[in-house]
Amino acid sequence: WAVEEVVELAGVAGDKALVVKSEARHHAISARLDKPLDPAQNGVVLQYEVKLQNTLNCGGAYAKLLTSPMTGEFSDSTPYTIMFGPDKCGESKLHMIYRHLNPVTGNYTEHHLQKAPVPPTDSLTHLYTLVIGTNNSFVISIDGVEKKTGSLLEDFEPPVNPAREIDDPRDSKPVDWVDDEQVPDSSATKPEDWDEDAPAMVLDEDAAKPEKWLEDEPLMVKDPAAVKPEDWDDDEDGDWAPPMVANPRCADADGCGPWKRPLKRNADYKGPWSPPLIDNPAYKGKWAPRRIANPGYFEDLAVYKLAKIDAIGFELWTMQSGITFDNIYVGDNVETAERIAKNVWKPKHDTEVALREARNPRPVEKTKSKLDGVLELFKVRVGDISASVADFYGRVRHEGIVEAVRQDRSGAIAVVMAVGGLVWLAWNL
């Protein structure tokens, strides 16, 4: 750790902050409050700035409000009341965890915010604010903008208050319990005209070979323009043969090679026979264990009365250095936090944004006149292309890709046009 001037995008000249200096290490630092903070009195307000001077791939920047009385050296095992702040290792998330005392067991349980906001990961200074009210409400803001609001009772996992009843762990399903709603009809018999061996597809006897189909022409021919390389050695490289190319005579034909009658769905196909299902006369319903009173049940409707807070600490593991903390406020006055945001954080952040834009000016937007024309053409042809693609897809499913290309060259071209058009749009938009 070090207290030093900010280097990357310094919004205030000479401004010093608390900076993580080491990579791939565990860090811990704490400071006691002037007096313990009791959330039961006026709630809690925690606000502080975070600046990632180096790219953050894996590391935390969250704060812990440490439970009173804090004893011993601060570490990852030091009890805390609230943990709040950004974290990134893979996905980014904004942690909000509070520890609640279970009055039945006498143990503390961690309750994690569900659907946590995603914090920014750029090199600007960002402001994180948590407000817990005396009505069990909470508000999370980033840069003065509310990102998550809710209730300590409803938006955390596991819930604070357990269920009044639970499944009886000693109850088990009887061995003769029947929970199949339907069963095969044992009295049903296969109809005499049911042919299980009938194929799903049959030759289309109504199909006719297209007039321009060239049966004597192969799809591929030797390239007449190919020339044997001068350095080709038949003894070492083998007998040379020209490469194969698409037969140019097939370009304007309906197809080349032996014509085969296409397949169509067999109207008589029924598939394997199985008896129909009927209601099971022995069905007793879906079994569930009986419910009993939860021996661990309690109800706390004043969760905001969390354990008193003695100190604030940052206890982190990070693979990158340069995580910077500044202007930390721990208290219960929302107006004070807002004043700090307006008078301290906002001018700094605005200056940093201006510095970043000056360093990386926005590129001039490229003209879209050509793109607009292509889009208009695409709109005109999209109906025809979609229909051709759909027809071609149907042929592929029933006849295979090779036969589909032979039978429907226009459909294959439509697929190529559609894919090419989407690639072009993705490249130019």
Side-chain angles (χ1 to χ4, degrees):
W1 295 93
V3 176
E4 62 184 20
E5 292 187 14
V6 174
V7 176
E8 175 64 22
L9 287 178
V12 178
D15 186 30
K16 292 185 177 181
L18 180 65
V19 183
V20 173
K21 298 297 293 180
S22 304
E23 299 179 352
R25 290 189 62 183
H26 181 262
H27 305 76
I29 191 170
S30 64
R32 289 186 180 274
L33 306 183
D34 293 337
K35 61 180 181 178
L37 176 65
D38 186 1
Q41 298 302 314
N42 298 301
V44 176
V45 179
L46 169 59
Q47 178 174 276
Y48 66 101
E49 297 174 2
V50 175
K51 184 180 183 66
L52 306 176
Q53 297 195 67
N54 299 325
T55 301
L56 183 63
N57 295 321
C58 185
Y62 41 82
K64 290 182 175 181
L65 299 184
L66 306 178
T67 304
S68 177
M70 177 187 173
T71 59
E73 185 177 359
F74 176 46
S75 69
D76 58 350
S77 61
T78 301
Y80 68 88
T81 299
I82 296 171
M83 186 175 114
F84 171 71
D87 186 23
K88 179 185 180 184
C89 207
E91 65 175 4
S92 296
K93 69 181 300 183
L94 187 61
H95 285 295
M96 164 48 181
I97 307 170
Y98 67 86
R99 296 172 71 245
H100 178 266
L101 179 63
N102 185 313
V104 176
T105 65
N107 298 321
Y108 279 92
T109 302
E110 291 183 354
H111 301 274
H112 295 247
L113 176 64
Q114 301 182 83
K115 299 179 181 179
V118 178
T121 56
D122 55 37
S123 57
L124 298 175
T125 296
H126 293 286
L127 187 69
Y128 295 92
T129 308
L130 169 66
V131 178
I132 295 179
T134 54
N135 58 351
N136 294 318
S137 66
F138 73 89
V139 178
I140 293 175
S141 301
I142 302 177
D143 297 345
V145 179
E146 290 186 4
K147 296 296 184 179
K148 182 80 173 182
T149 62
S151 168
L152 299 178
L153 290 167
E154 299 173 358
D155 297 287
F156 289 78
E157 185 65 32
V160 171
N161 296 314
R164 288 179 180 272
E165 293 185 334
I166 59 173
D167 292 340
D168 186 350
R170 297 166 298 180
D171 193 16
S172 59
K173 186 170 70 172
V175 293
D176 61 345
W177 189 278
V178 178
D179 51 10
D180 293 325
E181 293 186 43
Q182 292 187 314
V183 293
D185 185 357
S186 59
S187 64
T189 57
K190 184 175 71 172
E192 294 182 0
D193 61 346
W194 191 288
D195 185 0
E196 290 187 309
D197 298 325
M201 304 292 291
V202 294
L203 293 174
D204 185 358
E205 299 298 338
D206 297 328
K209 183 175 70 175
E211 293 183 2
K212 294 184 178 180
W213 191 282
L214 306 178
E215 280 199 292
D216 297 330
E217 291 289 342
L219 286 171
M220 304 294 290
V221 296
K222 295 180 179 179
D223 186 357
V227 177
K228 180 179 178 181
E230 295 182 0
D231 58 350
W232 188 278
D233 190 325
D234 289 338
D235 294 332
E236 294 185 4
D237 302 325
D239 294 336
W240 181 82
M244 303 297 286
V245 296
N247 189 342
R249 296 183 179 178
C250 298
D252 298 324
D254 292 328
C256 286
W259 181 79
K260 295 181 180 179
R261 195 176 300 279
L263 296 174
K264 68 175 183 179
R265 289 187 176 276
N266 185 0
D268 297 326
Y269 173 73
K270 296 182 179 181
W273 180 84
S274 60
L277 296 176
I278 59 174
D279 292 337
N280 187 355
Y283 176 63
K284 294 184 178 182
K286 294 298 182 182
W287 183 86
R290 62 175 169 265
R291 303 285 286 176
I292 61 173
N294 184 357
Y297 174 75
F298 66 87
E299 185 177 48
D300 183 354
L301 300 181
V303 181
Y304 71 92
K305 295 180 179 180
L306 299 169
K308 293 181 180 180
I309 297 163
D310 225 9
I312 181 172
F314 295 99
E315 181 269 312
L316 315 167
W317 169 265
T318 177
M319 296 298 294
Q320 281 77 39
S321 61
I323 302 175
T324 304
F325 304 95
D326 203 1
N327 298 314
I328 303 165
Y329 173 73
V330 180
D332 55 18
N333 194 304
V334 175
E335 288 74 18
T336 299
E338 290 176 344
R339 189 162 57 251
I340 295 172
K342 177 181 178 181
N343 298 330
V344 180
W345 170 78
K346 187 67 165 59
K348 177 194 297 186
H349 182 266
D350 290 347
T351 301
E352 291 178 354
V353 171
L355 290 171
R356 184 179 66 176
E357 291 182 352
R359 178 188 295 179
N360 303 305
R362 295 179 180 178
V364 179
E365 292 188 7
K366 58 185 179 181
T367 179
K368 291 188 176 181
S369 58
K370 181 179 179 180
L371 177 60
D372 291 341
V374 173
L375 287 174
E376 289 301 320
L377 178 60
F378 186 81
K379 289 178 182 178
V380 172
R381 295 297 307 277
V382 68
D384 295 336
I385 293 175
S386 299
S388 296
V389 170
D391 292 342
F392 182 76
Y393 176 69
R395 284 184 178 273
V396 170
R397 290 187 61 189
H398 299 315
E399 304 171 13
I401 183 65
V402 175
E403 193 63 32
V405 172
R406 288 181 176 179
Q407 296 284 345
D408 188 3
R409 296 177 65 85
S410 62
I413 294 172
V415 171
V416 175
M417 289 178 64
V419 174
L422 292 174
V423 172
W424 191 92
L425 288 172
W427 180 264
N428 287 273
L429 285 177

